[in-house]
Amino acid sequence: MSHATNYMITCPCGMVFRSKIYEYVNTRQDPQLRYTVLAGLLNVSTCPNCGRRSTQSRPFIYSDPAHFLLVYVDPTPDISDEARRDTLEKLLSVRQKVGIEVSYRVPVKEKLRVGSEKHVAGVTLDTMQSSEEGSVCRGSGERMSSGADIAMREGKERSGASFAERAMREGKEAPPLHVVFGLKHLYELINAALSQQERLGRLALRTFSQREAERGQLLDIARKFAAELQCQVDAEIVSGEYTVWLYGSRRQIGAIMRELTPQG
């Protein structure tokens, strides 16, 4: 099961409100969260007073057992080299507890600096798999918050058995824990694991009406589809235009579009 904590957020407008921040995402129990992540809406807080949005850049674990994918995500892409090393160093102990391999993609600038076989915080860097980004590092590490550390332990307890069962059936090892800095790299990993029809689709329902009843009706329609097809709903107001977005797989969004298209 996914794990989230309610945090108190203070908006610049002065409003104080609670916002759910995820530390562990499991798409088997919560499949709609896959598209929340891909839409860039995970851990985004919206002020109920002024509508201002803010992103809470907290590390989290992304687990997709159906696609054999497990990722530790630090959403901040431009953290210092020291912070990266600290992250990787702390994952050493987590690896020992969880007992899985850790895969870390080394940025090009770091690859050029450290060479093909150096050690950073106890992690061996190598060039086993080259890419446009750089190389893959096999080892262990993390910059985990206490919440993410709890989530990692829960991930082992709650999904570790299923990983082992699948590995036994397919004759494969458990998936490595990928370590990424920045959401762009997470999106790349997810999309590489998904089929074309499983990738992110989106549909916008819009109205220029200023009447709350009509806007509410549009939102209710979107929520009904979302509940039936396990999609993500998001509403925004821009220049008086009220838009309700539906995010889900291309297959799901296609099904909604067919339902909304008048039959000739």
Side-chain angles (χ1 to χ4, degrees):
M1 182 178 294
S2 300
H3 182 277
T5 300
N6 285 321
Y7 285 88
M8 298 300 297
I9 307 295
T10 302
C11 181
C13 74
M15 183 72 176
V16 179
F17 61 97
R18 290 184 179 274
S19 181
K20 182 182 292 186
I21 307 299
Y22 283 91
E23 296 151 338
Y24 176 66
V25 172
N26 188 314
T27 61
R28 174 156 50 198
Q29 281 82 19
D30 303 291
Q32 76 282 0
L33 287 180
R34 174 187 296 132
Y35 302 101
T36 305
V37 170
L38 288 173
L41 297 174
L42 189 80
N43 295 345
V44 173
S45 303
T46 302
C47 176
N49 179 50
C50 68
R52 187 192 302 266
R53 294 188 175 190
S54 60
T55 301
Q56 312 303 320
S57 296
R58 296 177 182 272
F60 63 93
I61 299 292
Y62 179 88
S63 174
D64 186 347
H67 295 89
F68 223 50
L69 185 62
L70 187 64
V71 190
Y72 170 79
V73 186
D74 188 323
T76 309
D78 56 353
I79 64 173
S80 67
D81 292 341
E82 181 180 357
R84 287 178 187 249
R85 287 182 172 85
D86 183 56
T87 296
L88 295 170
E89 187 175 55
K90 291 179 180 176
L91 269 174
L92 270 171
S93 60
V94 176
R95 176 187 182 276
Q96 294 169 355
K97 295 176 184 176
V98 178
I100 59 176
E101 183 182 11
V102 174
S103 176
Y104 168 53
R105 181 165 296 189
V106 182
V108 172
K109 63 178 182 178
E110 187 172 339
K111 175 187 174 185
L112 294 175
R113 185 174 64 252
V114 303
S116 62
E117 287 193 1
K118 299 289 183 182
H119 289 76
V120 177
V123 179
T124 300
L125 306 183
D126 59 40
T127 54
M128 292 175 60
Q129 300 177 20
S130 61
S131 67
E132 293 179 0
E133 278 290 330
S135 60
V136 170
C137 158
R138 302 290 184 181
S140 38
E142 175 231 65
R143 181 177 65 107
M144 283 193 176
S145 64
S146 58
D149 189 27
I150 293 172
M152 189 63 196
R153 292 197 300 271
E154 290 182 348
K156 175 172 173 24
E157 294 168 2
R158 298 179 182 181
S159 63
S162 61
F163 280 136
E165 290 170 2
R166 175 169 178 172
M168 290 174 64
R169 287 197 306 269
E170 300 183 3
K172 298 177 182 178
E173 296 180 353
L177 174 66
H178 296 275
V179 180
V180 299
F181 297 92
L183 293 173
K184 172 186 174 182
H185 302 303
L186 174 62
Y187 302 154
E188 290 173 351
L189 284 171
I190 295 173
N191 284 322
L194 301 179
S195 68
Q196 288 294 328
Q197 286 300 305
E198 290 175 315
R199 292 185 181 182
L200 178 67
R202 65 191 76 196
L203 175 65
L205 305 177
R206 293 190 176 95
T207 180
F208 289 96
S209 174
Q210 301 300 309
R211 296 178 58 187
E212 290 298 325
E214 291 187 12
R215 292 182 173 186
Q217 185 178 26
L218 190 66
L219 184 58
D220 287 342
I221 292 172
R223 284 174 173 168
K224 178 181 178 181
F225 281 120
E228 292 177 354
L229 297 174
Q230 295 182 316
C231 295
Q232 170 68 37
V233 176
D234 184 50
E236 62 178 3
I237 302 175
V238 179
S239 301
E241 181 180 277
Y242 184 76
T243 304
V244 178
W245 288 94
L246 279 161
Y247 297 100
S249 70
R250 294 175 182 177
R251 182 183 298 107
Q252 293 166 323
I253 296 301
I256 295 173
M257 292 178 67
R258 287 191 292 272
E259 286 288 331
L260 294 173
T261 302
Q263 300 299 316

